[in-house]
Amino acid sequence: MNYLTDQEITVLINEIKIGNNDAWEKICHNFDRYIHECCWKRLRKFDMSDTFRTELEEDLYIAGWQGFVSAIKNYDPENGKLLTYATYYINGEILKELDLQLNPLGLTERPRPEKRKSVETESSIISRISIDEDGGIPENVLSYALMREKYSDEAETDTSEDGKLSRMSEIAGLLKDEKANKEALEQLFSEGGISDLGGYSNERSTLQILEILMQTTDEKHSVSKEELKHLLRLYRIGKYNNSTSVESDNTFNKMIAEILLELNPGEYSDENDGDYRIKYDGYTEDKLNRSIKQNKSSSQKVESGSAPVLNGLSYVHPFTYEETDRLIQLVSFTDMLPLEEKKRLICKIVDTAGKYYTTPYWNGESLKFNSKAVHGRFTGRTTDEKAGFADNLKTLQYAVNNLGQVRFKFNRYNANHELVPTDKYVHELSPYHLVVYHDNYYCIGLKKGDRRVWHYRVDLMSDMELVLDEEGKIVPVEITDFAGLPIFNATWDPEKYMSEHLNMAYDEPQDIRIKIRNTDYTIIHDWFGDHYEKEDEVTSADDDGNEIHYDIVKVRTSPSMIVHWAMQYGSKVEIMDEEIREKIISETELIRRKYL
């Protein structure tokens, strides 16, 4: 099997840059065979049935193609040979997909703590108890949050929520000095029907500690070792009705050390600070790593009694307070999701944060945000319409990312408010970009059989699907010399492109001069962003003799659409270019005749 030489590849890359689609198809075809070889090379090492091997190869090929696309997008001849450069990306994606297929539980990765139960489950009792802003952990926070009607019905105790809170607070207070309060604790446990049911395995204890850290610590709140021990005792009382003592100090320190060694980077650096799952006082100086001794019989274990006492422990949640706020706001104010979907997503986002996180949209038990009170252009659309819109965006984004073609029908609205096809024609498009222009989503791409670049409104598209060949593989996009070429397009400026294509027009943009008051620049900015340039100043007087200051501004945009834009802002703007002025006069005359 013969592959292209380095010189041939260099020639093809240069041709691709200027929009030669034959060159693009040739290099894709050449690497298609190579990607298959990379897949089979990995699969030969495994003993599996031929049927499963064939199915798996198809998935690995798609992953390899994604790697090839990434390589093409980032390739620079200074990086060396394209084959060598692309192989790194291709094999990387193939290995990730192979690991996902053969090891879906991610057993080669660091273990992750069990996911907390959703705040929507009936067994979760969430309380927004006032929090000490200095970082202290209230004694009753965890126990109250986890209380599940564990007290015996026969027990002579107050089983109201306030009664449970008071009782658990009493237990927490006595646990502060367990030795001194041993008799009082025993009496309290006896009255409440709580007994010592025995200890837990190291595995169970580890998960319990992780659960406590996730619930009671975050970027602003931490716990000391002693606080963590008390919380662990309360956790077991509240969840399991078990008053068993917490592990000894040596065992507890060792357990904490092994958790941190497993979840955190081996050695601190400024670059990996964001990789820490649990932080502690002194983590930037690698306090833990410098203090422990590894067990000689196994590098997996910490030698008993060697682990240091660590304080200031805090779990690093997936999102900071600020990031969580932004995510909730984005979901709340989006016009693409139905109300129930918004509620479900916000509950999931809140569930990633600790119990200290508060938001104006969530009171701990229900959604406070009223989605029906925020309106957008698409608010009135049905759930099915929104779902179809979201599916279109998902398919288009996948196609753009993987340089694949799409097929769809294009529609328009009729008198019955229904979307109907403009014709029976099925469109095929090589999508390059997705943009949002004045509330509407547009896909910019090359239409099959037409060398012009087209814009399609995504909400008017239907029956969207990827274009696949006879073997079920993605058909690569066609390319053109369009400035927004999907390959080597790192400098493409979407705002500039949209300003040059006013109302997403197709005609060739040109420089146009506009006269405006020097107080009316907001109009210009709303439509052209920062892509305008002041050329001159003009001063004139109005009918009352008042002096008015004007600026002459140059923009580059669609000459056909600027006519209607100028009429829209007739009293605010004046086009200075003679050719455009003549078109405005003609259009105005047509309107005058129509309404006379």
Side-chain angles (χ1 to χ4, degrees):
M1 186 177 294
N2 297 322
Y3 289 106
L4 296 169
T5 65
D6 295 339
Q7 185 176 3
E8 289 173 326
I9 288 176
T10 300
V11 172
L12 288 176
I13 290 292
N14 290 332
E15 287 295 310
I16 289 172
K17 289 182 179 181
I18 60 175
N20 186 328
N21 197 65
D22 291 337
W24 165 239
E25 291 182 355
K26 189 171 183 178
I27 204 167
C28 286
H29 177 72
N30 179 76
F31 273 86
D32 180 80
R33 294 174 292 169
Y34 181 67
I35 294 170
H36 279 295
E37 284 189 1
C38 290
C39 295
W40 286 113
K41 182 179 179 182
R42 299 292 175 183
L43 289 174
R44 281 197 295 266
K45 301 177 181 179
F46 298 95
D47 183 15
M48 59 183 70
S49 69
D50 290 341
T51 301
F52 180 64
R53 191 189 304 275
T54 300
E55 293 176 353
L56 184 54
E57 196 273 340
E58 292 177 1
D59 292 331
L60 295 186
Y61 172 82
I62 293 175
W65 167 255
Q66 291 172 339
F68 171 70
V69 167
S70 297
I72 287 292
K73 286 183 176 181
N74 296 300
Y75 178 68
D76 187 317
E78 294 182 0
N79 293 329
K81 296 180 179 180
L82 177 61
L83 181 63
T84 304
Y85 185 78
T87 298
Y88 172 80
Y89 284 86
I90 293 169
N91 283 336
E93 292 300 322
I94 288 174
L95 287 173
K96 276 194 275 186
E97 180 64 22
L98 187 63
D99 183 61
L100 179 64
Q101 294 279 358
L102 300 185
N103 186 18
L105 296 179
L107 298 180
T108 59
E109 301 290 335
R110 289 175 172 175
R112 297 292 187 257
E114 290 182 342
K115 182 179 179 182
R116 303 208 319 272
K117 292 186 177 180
S118 169
V119 294
E120 296 176 290
T121 59
E122 294 180 357
S123 60
S124 296
I125 302 176
I126 309 299
S127 176
R128 293 295 181 189
I129 302 171
S130 59
I131 302 304
D132 176 7
E133 289 301 324
D134 293 331
I137 301 295
E139 299 156 356
N140 55 11
V141 169
L142 182 73
S143 57
Y144 184 59
L146 295 175
M147 183 59 64
R148 287 184 173 86
E149 304 288 349
K150 287 295 183 180
Y151 289 109
S152 166
D153 291 336
E154 294 79 16
E156 296 180 3
T157 184
D158 185 356
T159 57
S160 67
E161 292 299 328
D162 290 339
K164 290 182 214 174
L165 179 57
S166 175
R167 192 171 186 79
M168 294 309 296
S169 180
E170 185 180 357
I171 293 173
L174 292 172
L175 283 175
K176 277 193 170 182
D177 190 353
E178 190 168 343
K179 292 181 181 179
N181 299 301
K182 185 175 181 181
E183 291 184 5
L185 273 171
E186 288 178 353
Q187 181 180 354
L188 195 61
F189 290 151
S190 176
E191 292 174 354
I194 305 172
S195 57
D196 185 348
L197 302 179
Y200 298 89
S201 67
N202 286 345
E203 292 80 6
R204 288 281 296 277
S205 296
T206 295
L207 290 175
Q208 291 168 2
I209 291 170
L210 283 172
E211 181 73 11
I212 292 167
L213 288 174
M214 283 192 291
Q215 291 192 38
T216 64
T217 68
D218 56 28
E219 60 192 85
K220 294 183 179 180
H221 304 87
S222 60
V223 294
S224 66
K225 187 201 84 169
E226 289 304 316
E227 286 176 318
L228 184 56
K229 289 183 70 174
H230 291 315
L231 289 170
L232 180 58
R233 185 80 183 276
L234 289 171
Y235 179 96
R236 291 168 174 174
I237 293 171
K239 186 172 183 178
Y240 301 112
N241 215 29
N242 185 1
S243 66
T244 187
S245 298
V246 175
E247 290 77 0
S248 67
D249 277 351
N250 283 346
T251 301
F252 193 79
N253 293 342
K254 176 183 174 183
M255 198 177 302
I256 296 297
E258 290 186 336
I259 292 173
L260 297 181
L261 288 172
E262 185 63 30
L263 294 182
N264 291 340
E267 186 176 348
Y268 176 81
S269 68
D270 291 339
E271 289 74 21
N272 66 19
D273 185 84
D275 296 332
Y276 277 76
R277 297 292 299 276
I278 299 175
K279 293 183 177 180
Y280 58 91
D281 291 343
Y283 81 97
T284 57
E285 291 81 36
D286 288 319
K287 178 180 176 180
L288 173 61
N289 305 65
R290 290 188 288 101
S291 303
I292 64 167
K293 296 179 182 178
Q294 297 289 331
N295 188 303
K296 294 180 181 179
S297 63
S298 173
S299 61
Q300 305 291 322
K301 297 180 180 180
V302 177
E303 189 172 303
S304 181
S306 72
V309 176
L310 298 176
N311 290 305
L313 294 157
S314 63
Y315 184 83
V316 180
H317 292 272
F319 309 110
T320 64
Y321 281 3
E322 183 179 356
E323 289 170 338
T324 306
D325 287 343
R326 289 180 180 176
L327 285 172
I328 292 175
Q329 289 168 3
L330 286 171
V331 173
S332 298
F333 288 97
T334 183
D335 207 19
M336 292 175 55
L337 299 173
L339 176 59
E340 291 305 314
E341 182 72 3
K342 288 184 179 182
K343 288 183 178 180
R344 187 181 68 82
L345 289 176
I346 289 175
C347 287
K348 282 191 171 186
I349 293 171
V350 171
D351 197 36
T352 66
K355 293 298 183 282
Y356 295 106
Y357 173 74
T358 57
T359 170
Y361 305 115
W362 179 258
N363 67 2
E365 295 179 353
S366 61
L367 190 68
K368 295 171 66 177
F369 170 73
N370 181 7
S371 298
K372 295 180 180 179
V374 178
H375 304 280
R377 293 183 64 251
F378 305 139
T379 299
R381 292 186 176 176
T382 65
T383 300
D384 288 342
E385 287 176 325
K386 290 181 179 179
F389 186 21
D391 288 342
N392 281 351
L393 284 175
K394 183 178 179 181
T395 301
L396 286 169
Q397 189 62 67
Y398 184 87
V400 170
N401 290 344
N402 294 281
L403 300 184
Q405 296 185 35
V406 293
R407 182 184 293 119
F408 58 92
K409 291 180 182 178
F410 197 66
N411 307 281
R412 62 167 175 258
Y413 281 96
N414 63 12
N416 297 320
H417 313 282
E418 300 169 332
L419 269 180
V420 295
T422 54
D423 49 46
K424 296 182 180 180
Y425 179 70
V426 176
H427 300 253
E428 289 193 6
L429 187 75
S430 294
Y432 294 165
H433 303 284
L434 287 168
V435 299
V436 181
Y437 186 86
H438 290 269
D439 287 343
N440 280 317
Y441 285 74
Y442 289 85
C443 180
I444 303 175
L446 184 69
K447 185 177 178 181
K448 194 172 187 65
D450 189 330
R451 303 308 294 174
R452 293 179 299 167
V453 173
W454 286 66
H455 316 130
Y456 287 91
R457 261 180 57 180
V458 177
D459 60 306
L460 300 180
M461 302 162 85
S462 65
D463 302 296
M464 175 77 64
E465 63 181 4
L466 294 168
V467 178
L468 306 176
D469 61 19
E470 294 179 354
E471 297 180 1
K473 299 182 177 66
I474 297 174
V475 175
V477 296
E478 295 181 346
I479 63 172
T480 177
D481 56 0
F482 160 57
L485 187 69
I487 306 171
F488 315 107
N489 64 345
T491 59
W492 188 71
D493 184 345
E495 186 182 87
K496 181 174 182 292
Y497 180 86
M498 286 184 279
S499 72
E500 291 179 348
H501 295 78
L502 189 64
N503 284 322
M504 301 306 286
Y506 293 100
D507 53 342
E508 187 68 25
Q510 69 182 50
D511 291 338
I512 298 170
R513 295 180 305 136
I514 305 171
K515 178 182 174 182
I516 62 167
R517 286 193 180 193
N518 59 9
T519 56
D520 287 342
Y521 271 99
T522 301
I523 295 174
I524 299 294
H525 194 275
D526 284 347
W527 291 88
F528 304 103
D530 292 327
H531 302 284
Y532 60 85
E533 179 182 350
K534 176 182 174 181
E535 284 198 333
D536 201 359
E537 296 179 0
V538 179
T539 302
S540 61
D542 61 14
D543 294 339
D544 297 326
N546 299 315
E547 193 174 74
I548 303 176
H549 300 282
Y550 294 94
D551 287 348
I552 306 298
V553 180
K554 182 178 73 175
V555 301
R556 184 171 182 79
T557 193
S558 161
S560 62
M561 287 295 107
I562 200 69
V563 171
H564 301 281
W565 180 86
M567 295 173 69
Q568 177 183 351
Y569 293 100
S571 63
K572 297 285 187 180
V573 306
E574 180 182 352
I575 303 299
M576 307 305 292
D577 300 81
E578 288 301 326
E579 182 180 352
I580 305 297
R581 292 172 72 93
E582 289 297 327
K583 291 180 180 178
I584 294 173
I585 293 171
S586 298
E587 194 73 18
T588 305
E589 180 62 23
L590 288 174
I591 293 174
R592 190 186 70 83
R593 292 175 185 172
K594 182 180 292 185
Y595 287 97
L596 274 177

